[in-house]
Amino acid sequence: MLLVGCQVPKNITYFQDAAALNNMAVNAVEQFRLRPEDKINIVVNSQNPMLDQQFTLTVRSNLSHTLGSAVAPVTTAGGSYSNNQPIAYTVDSQGTIDFPVLGKLSVAGMTRKELAQYIQDRLSDRKLVDNPIVTVEYLNIGINVLGEVNRAGRINVTKDHFTIIDAIASAGDLTINGRREDVMVCRQVDGVNQVYYVDLTNMQTLLASPAYYLQQNDLVYVAPNNKRKRESLSVGNTFATPAIWISIASLLTTITSLVIK
């Protein structure tokens, strides 16, 4: 019993092979690519503010102090950014957005930097704006993290790439009862559900996994270990503790001794 009690669990420590992987080449960075239902903010800037504001849709938000009620928001194609808030472009089911003057733009599959460069080139080629600077920002891209983590929920993402390590760190790390060897990542690609399992104790397999770099709306699920599962039962972990077996052994020894006597 003492020998069993002195054992150190091997499935708790992350990246147990990290020391042997120093200077190892890793896969190319995977970035978010736009999909239908993604929302983005596009702002065009140039040396002529009156001109480039035609390409930045905004919502003018005013308050009527005399009547004490809010005026309905008005969508405009320009205006001062201090008084107007840029509105989102939503990628439709065909993977397009309706951009002022340029019309329908097919944006599905692009990164935000690729889209910014594409719009900038179109504006320059048609001589609509001189030396435009186009900025594209994500608005609703996120990852869902559930299971044995300290802060389960949806994590909003604003940068170009996001790893499973970023997701776990944002969720406050795994609890001590989370299984580190088979964290599930569920992803939908072109209407097909794909499921991956990653081992956080093995850095080599983790870095090589298609689920290391996450995509928008991925589900990361950390399953509970056996100890956590047993807690849902009425007897809980009673029979998994040394104390109960010592008591049972003592009782059996006492009974055997009495029978012999």
Side-chain angles (χ1 to χ4, degrees), residues 196-210:
Y196 305 95
Y197 290 91
V198 298
D199 184 355
L200 298 180
T201 67
N202 190 306
M203 178 174 282
Q204 184 174 11
T205 59
L206 174 64
L207 294 177
S209 172

Side-chain angles (χ1 to χ4, degrees), residues 175-219:
T175 68
I176 195 64
N177 294 316
R179 289 181 55 85
R180 281 125 171 96
E181 310 99 309
D182 53 358
V183 177
M184 184 182 72
V185 177
C186 185
R187 175 179 301 164
Q188 290 188 358
V189 179
D190 298 328
V192 178
N193 193 53
Q194 296 179 346
V195 178
Y196 305 95
Y197 290 91
V198 298
D199 184 355
L200 298 180
T201 67
N202 190 306
M203 178 174 282
Q204 184 174 11
T205 59
L206 174 64
L207 294 177
S209 172
Y212 178 67
Y213 288 102
L214 299 177
Q215 299 297 318
Q216 55 263 57
N217 300 321
D218 278 0
L219 169 63

Side-chain angles (χ1 to χ4, degrees), residues 218-234:
D218 278 0
L219 169 63
V220 178
Y221 175 71
V222 181
N225 58 17
N226 291 332
K227 174 180 176 294
R228 185 65 168 171
K229 292 178 182 178
R230 287 193 295 265
E231 289 178 357
S232 63
L233 303 175
S234 58

Side-chain angles (χ1 to χ4, degrees), residues 67-95:
L67 297 179
S69 60
V71 178
V74 179
T75 302
T76 66
S80 172
Y81 297 138
S82 62
N83 297 325
N84 300 308
Q85 297 297 322
I87 67 172
Y89 291 86
T90 302
V91 183
D92 62 20
S93 58
Q94 284 73 43

Side-chain angles (χ1 to χ4, degrees), residues 47-65:
Q47 296 178 350
N48 188 345
M50 295 301 296
L51 182 61
D52 57 53
Q53 286 173 16
Q54 299 179 24
F55 303 96
T56 303
L57 297 180
T58 60
V59 173
R60 186 169 58 221
S61 179
N62 297 325
L63 292 179
S64 175
H65 297 288

Side-chain angles (χ1 to χ4, degrees), residues 13 17 34 74 116-117 158 169 173 200 202 224 230 235-236:
T13 306
D17 59 338
L34 293 173
V74 179
Q117 186 63 52
T158 56
D173 199 3
L200 298 180
N202 190 306
R230 287 193 295 265
V235 294

